[in-house]
Each structure stands twice: as structure tokens, then as C-alpha cells.
Amino acid sequence: MPVKTNRAFRKIVTPEALQGVSQADIPELFQAALSEGWVVDGTGAHLLELFRRGYFGARDSFTDLTAYEAAVNGRGVPDWDLTEKGAERVQVLARRAYAFAWMALFSIRQIRDHATVTAYISVSPTLADEKLYTASVTFCANHDDEPPYVDLADLEKVSNAILVLDSTECVAPLPT
């Protein structure tokens, strides 16, 4: 599975963590988001329907579609059920985020004339406890007239561990 990561990601997430990732790694909330699928709103924003319905910010407060998509489509990886700590927790969070991102990107490919959508997976220590890690996933379509959410050329400048995956790479579903 091709991935683009920064040094911080490679430092804390082992290559083995993403091997054998399957749909079983996707948390229940994210399974529900996949079931509801994608919508393209009247402004051309590509949004996960479940997340769109739960978002209450004003569209006109954003200067571009990318920022709006990031706000609506960005979510923390569910972790309330995890008992793992430290490095083991990081691996589980990375698997969950990667599995969800892959399947969300695979699902948008099923929409006729879909845009290329990019997933940004980040892993970082929490503010309250630097030994406790959290993760998030954000999706943004690639809009010709807008800069990307994170420029790949600047990946090493991102302080969090980050993995970038786009829909052109997600040509088949993960195993169940």
C-alpha cells in the first residue's frame, strides 16, 4: 500500500502496523459514516454525509472549499475503548485511521465523475498528557484553484506525525 508520510510518522508508526489492515479495524462511528457515503453540496464541497449533518458551522465563514471540507470532514479517531498505552496505542490508532481513510477514499471512487480526494491522518500526543496519543482523519477534495490542505512538499514541516493518502491509490476495498 503506497503511503506518503513524514519523518515523525515513520518514527512512531511501525511499517508492520499498517500491514494486514482490514475493514474490521474501522470503529463503529466510522462504519456509520461509510454507510451514509459522500455528498457533493451546491458549492462543490465533497462531504461525508454523516459528518455534514452533524456540522453546525457556517459555510460562508470559510475562504475556500478546502478549508470547509477540512472542518466538516475532520474527525478524531474513536479511542474511548482502547486500553493500550504508548507505542501500542499509536499502532492501533494508525490502523483505525488508515482503514477508515482507505475505505472512504475507495467509496468516493464509486461516484461518477468524482474528484480526487485526499485523506490526512495525523497522530500526536494529547495536550493533557504527552504519553497519551490521539489521532485524527481529515478529507479534502483537490480543487484546481485552491492550495491543498497540506502541501506534500511541506510534509516534513508538519509537527504531528502525518500520513497522506489519496483516492487514486484506493482502487480496491480492504479485506473484510
Side-chain angles (χ1 to χ4, degrees):
M1 295 181 202
V3 293
K4 296 169 271 310
T5 60
N6 65 359
R7 191 173 309 115
F9 191 91
R10 293 185 300 276
K11 185 177 177 181
I12 65 170
V13 179
T14 66
E16 297 79 21
L18 301 182
Q19 292 176 356
V21 170
S22 73
Q23 292 181 46
D25 290 304
I26 302 171
E28 191 175 318
L29 169 66
F30 287 172
Q31 289 282 0
L34 292 172
S35 293
E36 297 219 14
W38 291 90
V39 296
V40 180
D41 76 4
T43 66
H46 294 70
L47 308 170
L48 284 159
E49 174 61 17
L50 180 69
F51 296 168
R52 184 196 64 79
R53 280 201 326 272
Y55 183 76
F56 297 101
R59 164 63 186 99
D60 58 1
S61 65
F62 296 92
T63 57
D64 61 23
L65 289 174
T66 302
Y68 178 59
E69 289 168 342
V72 175
N73 291 330
R75 288 294 185 281
V77 176
D79 62 359
W80 54 84
D81 62 322
L82 295 181
T83 57
E84 295 86 354
K85 303 265 190 244
E88 189 177 349
R89 179 184 181 88
V90 169
Q91 308 319 302
V92 173
L93 289 169
R95 287 180 68 83
R96 286 180 172 190
Y98 188 82
F100 172 56
W102 184 280
M103 289 306 297
L105 296 174
F106 171 75
S107 71
I108 199 154
R109 292 178 59 89
Q110 309 316 301
I111 299 172
R112 184 182 164 137
D113 299 326
H114 66 87
T116 298
V117 174
T118 302
Y120 302 91
I121 297 168
S122 67
V123 182
S124 61
T126 64
L127 293 175
D129 182 353
E130 289 189 9
K131 294 179 183 174
L132 183 63
Y133 281 79
T134 188
S136 66
V137 181
T138 301
F139 298 95
C140 301
N142 301 338
H143 302 284
D144 291 336
D145 55 341
E146 296 178 11
Y149 183 62
V150 175
D151 190 328
L152 291 179
D154 294 333
L155 217 50
E156 290 302 334
K157 295 178 184 174
V158 177
S159 60
N160 294 340
I162 189 166
L163 178 148
V164 179
L165 183 67
D166 74 54
S167 56
T168 63
E169 300 167 295
C170 304
V171 297
L174 292 175
T176 53

